Amino acid sequence: QLLTFTRQGKLLRQFGKAGMSKGSADTANMRGPANLVVDPASNEVYVADGYGNRRVIVLDAETFAFKRMWGAYGNKPSDMDLGPYDPDAPPAQQFRLPHNISISKDGFVYVADRPNNRIQVFRKDGTFVKEAFISKRTLLQGAASGFALSPDPEQRFLYMIDGANHHVWILNRSTLQVIARFGQQGLWGGSLNVPHAIAVDSKGNIYVGENFDARRFQRFLFKGLGTPKPGT
């Protein structure tokens, strides 16, 4: 379900009912939505409806009226059985689990398709733009858990958490190329154990929430961009 409350906790509106989803074609219900983002330019809410369904669904943020939806590559969402993930097979034409979603300042929609180890980029109408695979041979739960965009005006960087490999990947947002990473598995400070949530503040500091044994948040301080290499 998607619920809106006042800051005092009063329920204002609701989209969907628990246990009522009829699948990825249902325009009145969701099934285990994983994440959302609100586009202030259009006052629309974009939902990664991934735990059960395999789609992005867009609603009017004020009324929750259905606007549009799409699957991987902008295809019509489908619930067909994709079978187990195979890194050597052709890329799946549907999402396996769209787990995170964000909108850049220049109007692109980024979707983390976790078990498929990829991030896909779309225009706001669902038109597919490009994709990149992150640690493609990861089999356990997938590498593309979620991401945050850097706060600089150009949003040069995309920070992606990888819960399976216990990393934060740093991508050039324009090319989706990996340029660095940090984190290794562990429970001591500075290490990561199944990172599952990420945020960036206005100064560029990165906040990571971890699951399972860690059960904590860590803050990583931004130390400046330095001198960029050609093409980064």
Side-chain angles (χ1 to χ4, degrees), residues 91-193:
Q93 295 301 296
Q94 291 292 343
F95 295 128
R96 274 189 163 86
L97 197 173
H99 192 259
N100 196 258
I101 189 167
S102 188
I103 301 175
S104 61
K105 295 176 182 177
D106 52 3
F108 292 101
V109 181
Y110 293 77
V111 180
D113 186 10
R114 189 176 74 183
N116 281 326
N117 297 312
R118 67 185 176 189
I119 180 171
Q120 292 198 330
V121 186
F122 302 88
R123 300 192 187 279
K124 291 182 181 181
D125 62 1
T127 301
F128 174 74
V129 177
K130 59 185 175 182
E131 70 179 344
F133 289 86
I134 309 299
S135 193
K136 189 175 182 179
R137 306 202 72 80
T138 300
L139 300 179
L140 179 63
Q141 295 297 319
S145 298
F147 49 80
L149 303 178
S150 61
D152 54 288
E154 298 81 17
Q155 294 184 302
R156 289 175 53 193
F157 304 110
L158 186 151
Y159 304 113
M160 175 169 284
I161 44 173
D162 179 346
N165 297 302
H166 316 284
H167 300 320
V168 173
W169 300 95
I170 303 175
L171 281 64
N172 179 317
R173 185 176 71 87
S174 65
T175 64
L176 298 184
Q177 292 179 323
V178 172
I179 56 178
R181 78 180 190 194
F182 64 87
Q184 61 181 356
Q185 187 174 19
L187 298 177
W188 52 91
S191 296
L192 297 171
N193 192 71

Side-chain angles (χ1 to χ4, degrees), residues 1-5 11-16 30 36 64:
Q1 303 169 65
L2 180 60
L3 309 173
T4 300
F5 296 88
L11 178 65
L12 295 178
R13 65 188 63 85
Q14 173 179 337
F15 178 85
M30 295 180 291
L36 63 81
F64 284 171

